Amino acid sequence: MLYEIAQWRVPVANSKKHIEFWEEHLAYQRTHREKFSYKRSRVLSMSDQETPGEEIWMWIDEYENQEAYDRMSKTLRNDPDLSKYRDQAHSRADTLFIPGSLRTEVWTEHFRVD
């Protein structure tokens, strides 16, 4: 398995708008599932004890393998409708995130216990 993990910060004052953003964003993904090759996606948050006015958010997208991740990356680059949607979503998210806080990494799973 391959995991794309992103983490960012959101001011507590933007929390409700941020939740609404993700509800809409994931609804789009559910209704256009053929465009998204991840196996599973999650969005999580927690309060930041060190910075009380901020929350830490993350998404974890799970891919079956490198090919599925590459297919998703290619779709994001080449599908005009998805590119337009992504640009609009990023513009909106940028107003909710703390600037410069978004970090994305791709991890490979080596062992698992179910």
Side-chain angles (χ1 to χ4, degrees):
M1 292 288 186
L2 208 65
Y3 298 88
E4 181 183 50
I5 302 171
Q7 200 172 60
W8 64 96
R9 302 174 88 70
V10 174
V12 170
N14 288 350
S15 186
K16 187 172 190 270
K17 289 179 184 177
H18 196 251
I19 289 169
E20 292 168 358
F21 165 79
W22 277 104
E23 287 171 344
E24 293 170 20
H25 190 59
L26 293 175
Y28 177 87
Q29 291 183 23
R30 283 185 195 99
T31 59
H32 296 84
R33 196 64 183 100
E34 72 285 355
K35 295 179 183 276
F36 297 91
S37 60
Y38 58 72
K39 184 176 179 178
R40 182 175 303 127
S41 185
R42 307 167 188 83
V43 178
L44 304 102
S45 70
M46 69 179 212
S47 298
D48 186 350
Q49 301 302 317
E50 294 178 17
T51 312
E54 297 179 4
E55 297 172 327
I56 302 169
W57 284 75
M58 71 185 309
W59 82 64
I60 303 172
D61 288 348
E62 181 178 319
Y63 295 87
E64 192 67 40
N65 51 37
Q66 184 67 49
E67 292 78 23
Y69 180 78
D70 292 345
R71 188 169 52 253
M72 180 77 233
S73 297
K74 183 178 179 183
T75 300
L76 285 170
R77 284 191 312 272
N78 297 331
D79 183 302
D81 293 333
L82 190 53
S83 292
K84 180 180 176 184
Y85 174 78
R86 185 187 63 184
D87 291 346
Q88 291 170 346
H90 283 187
S91 292
R92 186 170 168 213
D94 286 346
T95 67
L96 301 171
F97 292 13
I98 292 176
S101 68
L102 178 64
R103 301 284 182 261
T104 305
E105 300 176 317
V106 178
W107 289 69
T108 301
E109 178 180 37
H110 294 284
F111 305 101
R112 178 185 200 128
V113 176
D114 287 326

